[in-house]
Amino acid sequence: VAPPAFKDEFGGTLGATCIPVFLPLTVLYLLCVCRSPVASVLQWPPVLPPTAQLWDPLAPVLILGWMALQSFFYLLPMGKVRRAGMVLKDGSRLKYPINGFYALCSTAVLLTLSLWLGMPLGYLFELLLPLAVCAIGVSFLLSLYLYICSFWAPHHALAQGGNTGNPLYDFFMGRELNPRIGSFDLKYFCELRPGLIGWVVINFGMLMKEVELRDSASLAMILVNGFQLLYVADALWNEEAVLTTMDIVHDGFGFMLVFGDLAWVPFTYSLQAAFLVVHPQSLSPLGATAIVTLNGAGYYIFRKSNSQKNQFRRDPTHPSVANLETIATATGKRLLVSGWWGLVRHPNYLGDLLMALAWSLPCGFNHLLPYFYVVYFTVLLIHREARDERHCRAKYGLAWDSYCRRVPYRIFPYIY
């Protein structure tokens, strides 16, 4: 059973009860606002669509077909077919296919073929609400399946934070750490495949809708598509790094991650592109250059800091990290206190937030909606940093206190 500290995450039972209701409604509300002429998140009464707009029989076919297609790519013997993950409670290591980038490339080939065949990819704009409704439905059904199946899992396979005995909380957090069907790892698959690749496909659909409406894609739309495609391609190119993240190593696979992976990511992260379909923006060359520079700076910080961390974890004796200053811990591991990780405790989060701002700036300053992602992501990363802080303090003890004294700033140098 989980210790008391784990039972209070995400607001405990109250949060686990309210979030599965509030967040799906938030997704649908944001999509409705995005399509409205005013596009005001503060509009009252709120923009509510007729129920007929929430359903299209094509939507479940596309959602299930998309999941099946990405599952097929996951199972193909492309790339590094198997790689050991982190050591589990029973001393074993699971193995994973490292072929997400090939899945992205294969998807791009199919999209190109679809364009050549004249398929109306811009119709995704009309289908956004029905697709989101179906993705939310799949999230609930998969979460229920995972919760029920977890009672047949061995005790060592359970996640510490999702094994409290409270059904609502455990459903939300996820009881089982690495649920699998045979060798098919459900959490690992959902983490980077259907939602992340689906995000860039939706973005491309929005670009094609703009071409359909205005005969060409705007510079703002091209920048949003390009920035976010780079981010997704980077995540899939460096797929092995996800095996050491909190999502994979610590969190169970319940509604929190299922909904985030399958519904929240593709339908809220693509809001900027959907916004630009209805609310086109013009960018000056100088403005575009400044935005590209901001995104480039954010990406540089994000990639360099993550690469340094991953290299140190793989091989602390590698020449690129061998001379970095570290602090020894009682666990035998060492904490970096120089390089990128001596600047702030989470330099990768800093890079993430700079990119998030760059993705929103092409949408102008007349509406708050395109900046939802920046606000949400700031809250998410501050919350995640606080979770990291608790876990690291519990794990490393006095060494962590020493590290915090050496690196006092969490995300923003000299600010926070």
Side-chain angles (χ1 to χ4, degrees), residues 178-195:
N178 303 108
R180 289 188 161 207
I181 300 175
S183 63
F184 191 99
D185 193 293
L186 293 168
K187 180 165 68 169
Y188 177 68
F189 168 73
C190 290
E191 186 80 8
L192 290 179
R193 309 301 180 96

Side-chain angles (χ1 to χ4, degrees), residues 371-389:
Y371 293 87
F372 169 82
Y373 177 78
V374 183
V375 175
Y376 149 75
F377 211 54
T378 301
V379 173
L380 172 73
L381 292 183
I382 289 175
H383 176 262
R384 182 171 290 180
E385 190 277 333
R387 293 184 75 204
D388 286 343
E389 184 82 11

Side-chain angles (χ1 to χ4, degrees), residues 4 17 20 34 48 50 62 68 77 87 111 114 116 118 143 170-171 175 182 218 225 247 259 263 297 325 348 365 372:
T17 304
C34 196
L48 296 176
L62 288 177
V87 178
L111 282 178
S114 300
W116 183 72
S143 300
D170 292 349
F171 170 83
R175 294 187 79 247
S218 65
N225 268 257
D247 287 358
F259 172 79
E325 190 176 352
N348 51 340
F365 299 100
F372 169 82

